[in-house]
Amino acid sequence: MTAILLLAGAGVHFGAAKATAPAGETGAAPITAQPSPSSAAETLTEGAPAAPSAKGESARGTDDLDGTSHDDAAGKDSATPAPAAPSTPPTTASGVGTGSAAAPAPAANPAPASRPAAVSPPPASTSATGVPAGTALKRHDGDLVIRTPGTVIDGLDIRGFVRVEAPNVTIRNSIIRGRDTTGDAILIYAGTGKSAGLVVHDTELVAQFPSHRVNGVYGYGFTLTRVAIHNVIDSVHIFGNDVVIQKSWLHDNLHYANDPGWNGGPSHDDSIQIQKGSNIVITGNVISGAYNAALQITQDQGTVSQVSFTSNLVSGGGCTINVAEKGKGAIKGLTISNNIFGGSRFGCSALIPPTTTATMSGNTKSDGTVVRVDRRAQ
């Protein structure tokens, strides 16, 4: 059982100068701050980011958050049984965001032979993500549940999971590493419907205990700016409206050749997956390292519309962008423009159903070849 902190004091600011790191390892007393919030500890079932708050919500957020019919680039569907320990170690990366403290390094393993090389990112695009150089971080052991509107988390090294259940929360200049877990887990969960206006910037998300069950950001109503996310399965998983991902670095997803979450087949790791929602802007990012897709649009939970994918340096996946309608009709308002595409496993930049009209302009390949768009119903 692990202690979690209930943040309950309007406008509480946890900063490097005000937060005091607890002594000891995971499960230590919650952090204290000035001014001190009214807070209490409660217990949490091992493995879940927080107790479910709505009927049908799992530790991943909803009944089917990872998509029991999650399309891969070959157009196949797979069921998701209860996961067990992976039989094959994950593909991992050693890089962390600029200015971060080093996370415990997992054993190095070679990437699958079919994984394409990432586009070389411009140095300025990635060095400006994560915790700014020279930032002093205070360690916090345990999970955080944020329930006070306007809370600011600043300058923390969080060895646990974060769950946001209040509007207008800011997380900045911090690292979120998670903890050891035997259940499905999300480094930042913002899917309760209570966290509109969440802003995360100049922050790094990296799983210190790599697992096929650990993911990056889940939810909706948030903005990510200069955020580095790596060492997780899905970097960002969207199932609602009003999301902005900008100037961020999503890279080096975990990938298992034999993932028990996919019937022992390969992991379906995505950089960004959208299961439902509207008003979604993805711009100015460096995105690479996913096996399934850099941008995966399914409509498993509802319709998707008004998605803008612009000015990104992007590679990876079977097809780098993979769009599925899932019998819910065409995706309306899909714009893909001014992106630079690197390699993909199947050599295609985008797979889009013929009934979805995508506005595409200004896209180029990093090697000078033609941007390949495949059309197939799925």
Side-chain angles (χ1 to χ4, degrees):
M1 309 293 284
T2 303
I4 61 176
L5 179 67
L6 304 182
L7 302 180
V12 176
H13 180 113
F14 289 95
K18 298 195 176 196
T20 302
E25 299 300 320
T26 301
I31 58 174
T32 58
Q34 298 295 331
S36 177
S38 301
S39 61
E42 66 182 23
T43 57
L44 176 71
T45 302
E46 178 69 14
S53 62
K55 184 177 179 181
E57 183 185 359
S58 70
R60 290 183 178 235
T62 66
D63 289 317
D64 184 25
L65 206 59
D66 201 34
T68 54
S69 58
H70 181 162
D71 281 45
D72 61 15
K76 297 179 181 178
D77 297 334
S78 301
T80 307
S87 58
T88 301
T91 299
T92 60
S94 58
V96 295
T98 299
S100 66
N109 292 281
S114 57
R115 185 188 293 275
V119 178
S120 297
S125 298
T126 56
S127 63
T129 64
V131 181
T135 301
L137 299 178
K138 294 292 185 178
R139 175 166 170 162
H140 170 71
D141 291 285
D143 300 334
L144 295 180
V145 174
I146 303 171
R147 291 179 175 154
T148 300
T151 295
V152 174
I153 302 295
D154 190 357
L156 292 187
D157 184 344
I158 301 169
R159 310 302 176 95
F161 304 110
V162 176
R163 183 179 177 97
V164 182
E165 297 184 3
N168 302 319
V169 168
T170 297
I171 301 172
R172 66 192 184 200
N173 306 322
S174 297
I175 302 176
I176 302 171
R177 304 185 192 273
R179 55 175 167 78
D180 198 9
T181 176
T182 58
D184 293 336
I186 300 130
L187 295 177
I188 298 178
Y189 183 69
T192 65
K194 303 174 184 178
S195 56
L198 170 64
V199 173
V200 184
H201 67 85
D202 301 290
T203 289
E204 180 179 3
L205 279 66
V206 52
Q208 65 172 324
F209 295 97
S211 166
H212 69 291
R213 291 174 171 242
V214 179
N215 295 276
V217 181
Y218 268 44
Y220 51 95
F222 58 78
T223 296
L224 307 181
T225 304
R226 296 182 301 277
V227 175
I229 306 177
H230 58 111
N231 227 39
V232 296
I233 296 292
D234 282 3
S235 298
V236 181
H237 200 120
I238 299 165
F239 48 98
N241 300 338
D242 304 324
V243 172
V244 176
I245 305 169
Q246 59 187 357
K247 301 178 182 178
S248 293
W249 187 20
L250 315 182
H251 64 108
D252 294 295
N253 302 59
L254 292 178
H255 178 75
Y256 296 86
N258 303 110
D259 190 331
W262 291 99
N263 290 325
S267 302
H268 287 213
D269 43 285
D270 299 310
S271 299
I272 300 168
Q273 184 183 152
I274 306 172
Q275 290 206 343
K276 71 174 179 180
S278 184
N279 190 26
I280 298 165
V281 176
I282 303 162
T283 186
N285 305 286
V286 177
I287 304 172
S288 65
Y291 182 87
N292 187 64
L295 173 63
Q296 170 75 59
I297 298 177
T298 76
Q299 296 192 115
D300 287 330
Q301 292 194 45
T303 59
V304 174
S305 65
Q306 303 306 317
V307 177
S308 175
F309 189 85
T310 63
S311 302
N312 301 289
L313 186 62
V314 59
S315 62
C319 291
T320 299
I321 295 175
N322 186 6
V323 178
E325 295 176 359
K326 294 295 185 71
K328 295 182 175 69
I331 285 78
K332 297 179 180 179
L334 175 60
T335 299
I336 303 169
S337 63
N338 300 318
N339 302 287
I340 300 175
F341 285 87
S344 65
R345 289 188 292 120
F346 301 148
C348 68
S349 298
L351 172 60
I352 303 172
T355 46
T356 285
T357 299
T359 300
M360 301 188 70
S361 64
N363 299 299
T364 61
K365 290 280 287 184
S366 59
D367 61 2
T369 60
V370 175
V371 171
R372 175 181 148 196
V373 179
D374 291 1
R375 291 285 193 168
R376 188 182 70 236
Q378 55 174 349

